[in-house]
Amino acid sequence: MSVAFRLPLQVFFEREARHPRKPFLVQPIGGGEVQTLTWGDVGHQARCAAHWLRARELPQGSHIGLISKNCAHWIIADLAIWMAGHVSVPLYPNLTADSVAHVLTHSEAALVLIGKLDDWPAMAPGVPAGVLTISLPLCPAGEFDFSWADLQASSPIQDDPAPSAAGLATIIYTSGTTGLPKGVMHSFGALGFAATRGTELFGLGEGDRLLSYLPLCHVAERMFVEMASIYTGQTVYFAESLDTFLTDLRRARPTALFGVPRIWTKFQMGVYSKIPEKRLERLLRLPFIGKRVGHKVLAGLGLDAVRIALSGAAPVPEALLRWYRRLGLDVLEVYGMTESCGYSHVCRPGQQTIGWIGLPCPGVEVRIDDPSGEVQVRSGATMLGYFKDPQKTAETLTADGFLRTGDKGEQDAVGRLRLTGRLKEIFKTSKGKYVAPAPIENRLAEHAHIEQVCVVGDGLTAPIGLCVLSAMGHDRQALRSSLERWLEQVNQALDKHERLRQLVVVKDSWAVENGFLTPTLKIKRNVIESTYGPQIQGWSERTEAVLWQD
């Protein structure tokens, strides 16, 4: 497949030369203060760090770890690693020490850069002996072998390195939804293909602004923020913390924003905490006034300047999409995987069909496998393979280069995609009927008080839904009635064998920290099923439609 595209460092050097004084990265440094780094600043710091890295005389293409929450120096460090001729290996900033050890050992990391983190003392024991540590600005207190100041004491490199399109740029480890993370290898060509073609879709440019708050080590933020800003010249604002998130959002007033469904739901819950749902709905229905109310709500969130709003990682409840549309904001769904640089399908502005994700991205071929119904994609953004795992690579990439997504789906007459479940998540009830849980969960999650939900039913006479409620205050009896009505409504739209026997409200909160969620906030079904497994059969034999875990 021959498609013209430019490589990341090439584009960065062009911008560095063309507008060195233009603001690139805006970093909160505490107390309401921010540090603004220009394209020239970023280039200078990356070039100094690259000189220091080259002086280590590591073999070309050595793997260098990067552990940090989102910050300006995450991007600067990534650029420096590439300029030095090496491969970046980003890690989630909330991993356990064991997970840190697994990724750094498996990836054969020679060095690791440590940036902004909440609990470095808990992670530090995971750094293998012999792996040198380098502290970035905003790093936590601790003992490190070198500091960013040491790297900046080097003179900047004077050349503009040009790695080949086929060269390995990064190893992105998956979040481990189904087990140990896999190291997805991406070339500079794959990043360049996805970034060149992806940024052409939305017409974003140097006057646009992004807010970076989802993990940069994840492929979605890596592409939508790091790569997109380099390829379009947008200014990137960083969020300081959860406590300052709304302040950071209002400071940035982003013109483009990427989120996951849970983020878009939290925005909605924040609005409802200030204005009752029914009152807001009445106001939005009023002629003339409704439009002004919607704009005021978006302005209160810091979203009034957003032109492009995207959501990925999981389906967005249809009711939520309609709610944002009534406010005056179209949230467009995107679909992709780590293995495809997150580049597969996206809904185009003005072409939203609720229930369907959208059309293939430019340069992406799609087919639906027969008879499994699996969505398979092929493009210049497809991974090279999994690091040190040829068997899994062969299982995931077909002989003719298509990526097996593991998602079941269907296409309409114009090529829009709808997902109908995950192949590996489908279970069989005791009646021998197969059930795909994801679409049911997506529907259940439209209830205002259901924060998270997992449908289980392997071997049961009928599926049941395990759910975590939102933190908003609620009267149990009133909520029970509301959930019973909702369950009945959802069941009416399902085939008979898919209908849920009951909803169970569990006591636990499902979080990354306690192992129920991946770092990208996806539920870990195996953890949920093993945790509640001993009780599931008993719950399924109860007669109540909605019950609370004892």
Side-chain angles (χ1 to χ4, degrees), residues 62-68 87-92 95-114 117 120 123-134 171 173 181 183 387-388:
S62 289
H63 301 167
I64 297 181
L66 174 54
I67 313 176
S68 177
V87 176
S88 59
V89 183
L91 282 73
Y92 284 99
L95 295 180
T96 63
D98 286 346
S99 296
V100 169
H102 169 75
V103 173
L104 291 180
T105 302
H106 184 269
S107 67
E108 302 172 6
L111 305 168
V112 59
L113 294 113
I114 310 298
L117 293 168
W120 173 238
M123 302 173 78
V127 178
V131 175
L132 296 178
T133 55
I134 303 162
I171 303 176
Y173 278 80
F387 184 56
K388 296 197 299 195

Side-chain angles (χ1 to χ4, degrees), residues 5-184:
F5 58 84
R6 295 185 299 157
L7 300 177
L9 282 183
Q10 174 193 355
V11 181
F12 175 80
F13 294 140
E14 290 172 5
R15 294 202 175 280
E16 179 194 28
R18 191 167 74 249
H19 44 58
R21 293 184 180 84
K22 181 182 181 295
F24 178 19
L25 307 176
V26 181
Q27 175 65 55
I29 53 176
E33 293 186 44
V34 298
Q35 177 187 27
T36 300
L37 296 167
T38 65
W39 288 85
D41 295 331
V42 170
H44 178 80
Q45 291 195 31
R47 287 171 179 276
C48 290
H51 187 161
W52 186 92
L53 287 169
R54 286 181 183 178
R56 296 310 97 199
E57 296 186 347
L58 298 168
Q60 277 289 291
S62 289
H63 301 167
I64 297 181
L66 174 54
I67 313 176
S68 177
K69 294 172 71 174
N70 295 18
C71 61
H73 283 85
W74 197 106
I75 291 176
I76 297 171
D78 199 27
L79 290 168
I81 291 167
W82 288 344
M83 289 181 194
H86 299 312
V87 176
S88 59
V89 183
L91 282 73
Y92 284 99
N94 50 7
L95 295 180
T96 63
D98 286 346
S99 296
V100 169
H102 169 75
V103 173
L104 291 180
T105 302
H106 184 269
S107 67
E108 302 172 6
L111 305 168
V112 59
L113 294 113
I114 310 298
K116 182 181 177 185
L117 293 168
D118 290 333
D119 195 4
W120 173 238
M123 302 173 78
V127 178
V131 175
L132 296 178
T133 55
I134 303 162
S135 62
L136 298 175
L138 303 180
C139 75
E143 292 186 12
F144 303 97
D145 297 304
F146 299 96
S147 71
W148 189 249
D150 294 327
L151 277 61
Q152 294 305 295
S154 300
S155 57
I157 61 170
Q158 297 302 310
D159 59 315
D160 289 353
S164 72
L168 180 61
T170 189
I171 303 176
I172 304 176
Y173 278 80
T174 60
S175 55
T177 312
T178 56
L180 283 175
K182 299 185 289 288
V184 177

Side-chain angles (χ1 to χ4, degrees), residues 34 41 54 121 216 224 268 284 327 335 338 364 430 438 446 448 492 498 539 542:
V34 298
D41 295 331
R54 286 181 183 178
L216 266 167
F224 186 78
Q268 183 190 51
L284 290 173
L327 295 183
Y335 169 68
T338 305
V364 174
S430 62
E446 292 185 23
Q492 284 175 358
E498 297 176 312
W539 288 333
R542 300 266 293 270

Side-chain angles (χ1 to χ4, degrees), residues 339-390:
E339 291 85 348
S340 67
C341 285
Y343 185 78
S344 179
H345 288 72
V346 63
C347 179
R348 310 304 200 266
Q351 298 180 35
Q352 191 178 36
T353 301
I354 288 181
W356 296 81
I357 294 167
L359 295 167
C361 295
V364 174
E365 299 172 80
V366 187
R367 69 186 184 196
I368 307 296
D369 182 60
D370 184 29
S372 69
E374 180 183 43
V375 179
Q376 298 182 356
V377 296
R378 181 171 67 180
S379 79
T382 304
M383 69 171 179
L384 297 171
Y386 296 118
F387 184 56
K388 296 197 299 195
D389 202 338

